[in-house]
Coordinates of all heavy atoms in Angstrom, one line a residue:
Chain A
F72 N 192.2 260.1 167.3 CA 192.0 261.5 167.5 C 192.5 261.9 168.9 O 191.8 261.8 169.9 CB 190.5 261.8 167.3 CG 190.0 261.5 166.0 CD1 189.2 260.3 165.8 CD2 190.2 262.4 164.9 CE1 188.7 260.0 164.5 CE2 189.7 262.0 163.6 CZ 189.0 260.9 163.4
L73 N 193.8 262.3 168.9 CA 194.4 262.7 170.2 C 194.1 264.1 170.5 O 194.3 265.0 169.7 CB 195.9 262.5 170.1 CG 196.4 261.1 169.8 CD1 197.9 261.0 169.7 CD2 195.9 260.1 170.8
I74 N 193.6 264.3 171.8 CA 193.3 265.7 172.2 C 194.1 266.0 173.4 O 194.3 265.3 174.3 CB 191.8 265.8 172.5 CG1 190.9 265.6 171.3 CG2 191.4 267.1 173.3 CD1 189.4 265.5 171.5
N75 N 194.6 267.3 173.3 CA 195.4 267.8 174.5 C 194.9 269.2 174.8 O 194.7 270.0 173.9 CB 196.9 267.9 174.1 CG 197.8 268.3 175.2 OD1 198.0 269.5 175.4 ND2 198.3 267.4 176.0
H76 N 194.7 269.4 176.1 CA 194.1 270.7 176.5 C 195.1 271.2 177.6 O 194.8 271.1 178.8 CB 192.7 270.5 177.0 CG 192.0 271.8 177.2 ND1 190.6 271.9 177.1 CD2 192.3 273.1 177.4 CE1 190.2 273.1 177.3 NE2 191.2 273.8 177.5
A77 N 196.2 271.7 177.2 CA 197.3 272.0 178.2 C 197.2 273.3 178.9 O 197.8 273.6 180.0 CB 198.7 272.0 177.5
S78 N 196.3 274.3 178.4 CA 196.1 275.5 179.1 C 194.7 276.0 179.0 O 193.9 275.3 178.3 CB 197.0 276.6 178.5 OG 196.5 277.0 177.2
L79 N 194.3 277.0 179.6 CA 192.9 277.5 179.6 C 192.5 278.2 178.3 O 191.4 278.5 178.2 CB 192.7 278.5 180.8 CG 192.6 277.9 182.2 CD1 192.6 279.0 183.2 CD2 191.4 277.0 182.3
T80 N 193.5 278.3 177.4 CA 193.2 278.9 176.1 C 193.5 278.2 174.9 O 193.4 278.6 173.8 CB 193.9 280.3 176.1 OG1 195.3 280.1 176.1 CG2 193.4 281.2 177.2
L81 N 194.0 276.9 175.1 CA 194.4 276.1 173.9 C 194.1 274.6 174.1 O 194.4 274.0 175.1 CB 196.0 276.2 173.8 CG 196.6 275.4 172.7 CD1 196.0 275.8 171.3 CD2 198.1 275.5 172.7
S82 N 193.4 274.1 173.0 CA 193.2 272.7 172.9 C 193.7 272.3 171.5 O 193.5 273.1 170.6 CB 191.7 272.3 173.1 OG 191.5 271.0 172.8
T83 N 194.3 271.1 171.4 CA 194.7 270.6 170.1 C 194.1 269.3 169.8 O 193.9 268.5 170.7 CB 196.3 270.5 170.0 OG1 196.7 269.6 171.0 CG2 196.9 271.9 170.2
L84 N 193.8 269.0 168.6 CA 193.3 267.8 168.0 C 194.3 267.3 167.0 O 194.6 268.0 166.1 CB 191.9 268.0 167.4 CG 191.4 266.8 166.6 CD1 191.1 265.6 167.5 CD2 190.1 267.1 165.8
T85 N 194.8 266.1 167.3 CA 195.8 265.5 166.4 C 195.1 264.3 165.7 O 194.8 263.3 166.4 CB 197.1 265.1 167.0 OG1 197.7 266.3 167.6 CG2 198.0 264.5 166.0
V86 N 195.0 264.3 164.4 CA 194.5 263.2 163.6 C 195.7 262.3 163.3 O 196.6 262.7 162.5 CB 193.7 263.6 162.4 CG1 193.1 262.4 161.7 CG2 192.6 264.6 162.8
T87 N 195.8 261.2 163.9 CA 197.0 260.3 163.7 C 196.8 259.4 162.5 O 195.8 258.9 162.2 CB 197.4 259.5 164.9 OG1 196.3 258.6 165.2 CG2 197.6 260.4 166.1
S88 N 197.9 259.2 161.7 CA 197.9 258.3 160.5 C 196.6 258.5 159.7 O 195.8 257.6 159.6 CB 198.1 256.9 161.0 OG 198.2 256.0 159.9
A89 N 196.5 259.8 159.3 CA 195.2 260.1 158.6 C 195.0 259.3 157.3 O 196.0 259.1 156.6 CB 195.2 261.6 158.4
H90 N 193.8 259.0 157.0 CA 193.4 258.3 155.8 C 192.3 259.1 155.1 O 191.7 260.0 155.7 CB 192.9 256.9 156.1 CG 194.1 256.0 156.6 ND1 195.0 255.5 155.7 CD2 194.4 255.6 157.8 CE1 195.9 254.8 156.4 NE2 195.5 254.8 157.7
P91 N 192.0 258.8 153.8 CA 191.0 259.6 153.1 C 189.7 259.7 153.8 O 189.0 260.7 153.7 CB 190.9 258.9 151.7 CG 192.3 258.3 151.5 CD 192.8 257.9 152.9
E92 N 189.3 258.7 154.5 CA 188.0 258.7 155.2 C 188.0 259.7 156.4 O 186.9 260.0 156.9 CB 187.6 257.3 155.7 CG 188.6 256.7 156.6 CD 189.6 255.8 155.9 OE1 189.9 256.0 154.7 OE2 190.0 254.8 156.5
D93 N 189.1 260.2 156.8 CA 189.2 261.2 157.8 C 189.0 262.6 157.3 O 188.9 263.5 158.0 CB 190.5 261.1 158.5 CG 190.8 259.8 159.2 OD1 189.8 259.2 159.8 OD2 192.0 259.3 159.2
S94 N 189.0 262.7 155.9 CA 188.7 264.0 155.3 C 187.3 264.5 155.8 O 186.3 263.9 155.6 CB 188.7 263.9 153.8 OG 190.0 263.4 153.4
S95 N 187.4 265.7 156.3 CA 186.1 266.3 156.8 C 186.4 267.8 157.2 O 187.5 268.3 157.1 CB 185.6 265.5 158.1 OG 184.4 265.9 158.5
F96 N 185.4 268.4 157.8 CA 185.4 269.7 158.3 C 185.4 269.6 159.9 O 184.4 269.0 160.4 CB 184.3 270.6 157.8 CG 184.4 272.0 158.1 CD1 185.5 272.7 157.6 CD2 183.4 272.7 158.7 CE1 185.6 274.1 157.8 CE2 183.5 274.1 159.0 CZ 184.6 274.8 158.5
Y97 N 186.4 270.0 160.5 CA 186.5 269.9 162.0 C 186.4 271.3 162.6 O 187.0 272.2 162.2 CB 187.9 269.3 162.4 CG 188.1 267.9 161.9 CD1 188.5 267.6 160.6 CD2 187.7 266.8 162.8 CE1 188.7 266.3 160.2 CE2 187.9 265.5 162.4 CZ 188.3 265.2 161.1 OH 188.5 263.9 160.7
I98 N 185.5 271.4 163.6 CA 185.2 272.7 164.2 C 185.3 272.5 165.7 O 184.9 271.5 166.3 CB 183.7 273.1 163.9 CG1 183.5 273.2 162.4 CG2 183.5 274.5 164.6 CD1 182.0 273.6 162.1
C99 N 185.9 273.5 166.4 CA 186.0 273.5 167.8 C 185.1 274.6 168.4 O 184.8 275.5 167.7 CB 187.4 273.7 168.3 SG 188.1 275.3 168.0
S100 N 184.8 274.4 169.6 CA 184.1 275.5 170.3 C 184.6 275.5 171.8 O 185.2 274.5 172.3 CB 182.5 275.2 170.3 OG 182.2 274.1 171.2
A101 N 184.4 276.6 172.4 CA 184.9 276.8 173.8 C 183.8 277.4 174.6 O 183.0 278.3 174.1 CB 186.1 277.7 173.7
R102 N 183.8 277.0 175.9 CA 182.8 277.5 176.8 C 183.4 278.7 177.6 O 184.4 278.5 178.2 CB 182.3 276.4 177.7 CG 181.0 276.5 178.3 CD 180.5 275.1 178.7 NE 181.4 274.3 179.5 CZ 181.2 274.2 180.8 NH1 180.2 274.8 181.4 NH2 182.0 273.5 181.5
D103 N 182.7 279.8 177.6 CA 183.2 281.0 178.3 C 182.8 280.9 179.7 O 181.6 281.0 180.0 CB 182.6 282.3 177.6 CG 183.2 283.6 178.2 OD1 183.8 283.5 179.2 OD2 183.0 284.6 177.5
L104 N 183.8 280.9 180.6 CA 183.5 280.8 182.1 C 182.9 282.1 182.6 O 182.3 282.0 183.6 CB 184.8 280.4 182.8 CG 185.4 279.0 182.6 CD1 186.7 279.0 183.3 CD2 184.4 278.0 183.0
S105 N 183.2 283.2 182.0 CA 182.9 284.5 182.7 C 181.5 284.9 182.5 O 181.1 285.9 183.2 CB 183.9 285.5 182.1 OG 183.6 285.7 180.7
T106 N 180.7 284.3 181.7 CA 179.4 284.8 181.5 C 178.4 283.7 181.8 O 178.7 282.5 182.0 CB 179.1 285.2 180.0 OG1 179.3 284.0 179.2 CG2 180.0 286.2 179.6
G107 N 177.1 284.0 182.0 CA 176.1 283.0 182.2 C 175.8 282.8 183.7 O 175.0 281.9 184.0
G108 N 176.4 283.5 184.6 CA 176.0 283.3 186.0 C 176.6 282.0 186.5 O 177.5 281.4 186.0
K109 N 176.0 281.6 187.6 CA 176.5 280.5 188.3 C 176.1 279.2 187.7 O 176.7 278.1 187.9 CB 176.1 280.5 189.8 CG 176.7 281.7 190.6 CD 176.3 281.7 192.0 CE 176.9 282.8 192.8 NZ 176.4 282.9 194.2
R110 N 175.0 279.2 187.0 CA 174.5 278.0 186.4 C 175.3 277.7 185.1 O 175.0 278.3 184.1 CB 173.0 278.1 186.2 CG 172.2 278.3 187.5 CD 170.9 278.9 187.2 NE 170.0 278.0 186.5 CZ 168.8 278.4 186.0 NH1 168.4 279.6 186.2 NH2 168.0 277.6 185.4
Y111 N 176.1 276.7 185.2 CA 177.1 276.5 184.1 C 176.4 276.3 182.8 O 177.0 276.6 181.8 CB 178.1 275.4 184.5 CG 177.5 274.0 184.3 CD1 177.6 273.3 183.1 CD2 176.8 273.4 185.4 CE1 177.1 272.1 182.9 CE2 176.2 272.2 185.2 CZ 176.4 271.5 184.0 OH 175.8 270.2 183.9
S112 N 175.2 275.8 182.8 CA 174.6 275.5 181.6 C 174.2 276.7 180.8 O 173.9 276.6 179.6 CB 173.3 274.6 181.8 OG 173.7 273.4 182.3
N113 N 174.2 277.9 181.4 CA 173.9 279.1 180.7 C 175.1 279.6 179.9 O 175.0 280.5 179.1 CB 173.5 280.2 181.7 CG 172.0 280.0 182.0 OD1 171.3 279.4 181.3 ND2 171.6 280.5 183.2
Q114 N 176.3 279.1 180.2 CA 177.5 279.6 179.6 C 177.5 279.3 178.1 O 177.3 278.2 177.6 CB 178.8 279.0 180.2 CG 178.9 279.4 181.6 CD 179.9 278.5 182.4 OE1 180.4 277.6 181.9 NE2 180.1 278.8 183.6
P115 N 177.6 280.3 177.2 CA 177.6 280.1 175.8 C 178.8 279.4 175.3 O 179.9 279.5 175.9 CB 177.4 281.5 175.3 CG 178.1 282.4 176.2 CD 177.8 281.7 177.6
Q116 N 178.6 278.8 174.1 CA 179.8 278.2 173.4 C 180.1 279.1 172.2 O 179.2 279.6 171.6 CB 179.4 276.8 172.9 CG 179.4 275.7 174.0 CD 179.2 274.4 173.4 OE1 179.7 274.1 172.3 NE2 178.5 273.5 174.1
H117 N 181.3 279.4 172.0 CA 181.8 280.2 170.9 C 182.6 279.2 170.0 O 183.4 278.5 170.4 CB 182.7 281.3 171.4 CG 182.0 282.1 172.4 ND1 181.0 283.1 172.1 CD2 182.1 282.2 173.8 CE1 180.6 283.7 173.2 NE2 181.2 283.1 174.2
F118 N 182.3 279.4 168.7 CA 182.9 278.4 167.7 C 184.0 279.0 166.9 O 184.0 280.2 166.6 CB 181.7 278.0 166.8 CG 180.8 277.0 167.4 CD1 179.8 277.5 168.2 CD2 180.9 275.6 167.1 CE1 178.9 276.5 168.8 CE2 180.1 274.7 167.7 CZ 179.0 275.2 168.5
G119 N 184.9 278.2 166.5 CA 186.0 278.6 165.6 C 185.5 278.5 164.2 O 184.3 278.1 163.9

Side-chain angles (χ1 to χ4, degrees):
Chain A
F72 299 99
L73 301 179
I74 292 173
N75 183 272
H76 194 154
S78 77
L79 285 172
T80 59
L81 174 63
S82 174
T83 61
L84 169 68
T85 301
V86 184
T87 62
S88 188
H90 291 286
E92 58 266 29
D93 298 322
S94 299
S95 187
F96 192 57
Y97 293 85
I98 306 177
C99 71
S100 71
R102 205 154 56 98
D103 186 346
L104 293 175
S105 64
T106 61
K109 295 180 180 179
R110 295 157 71 188
Y111 76 93
S112 293
N113 281 334
Q114 294 162 359
Q116 288 187 31
H117 305 283
F118 286 80

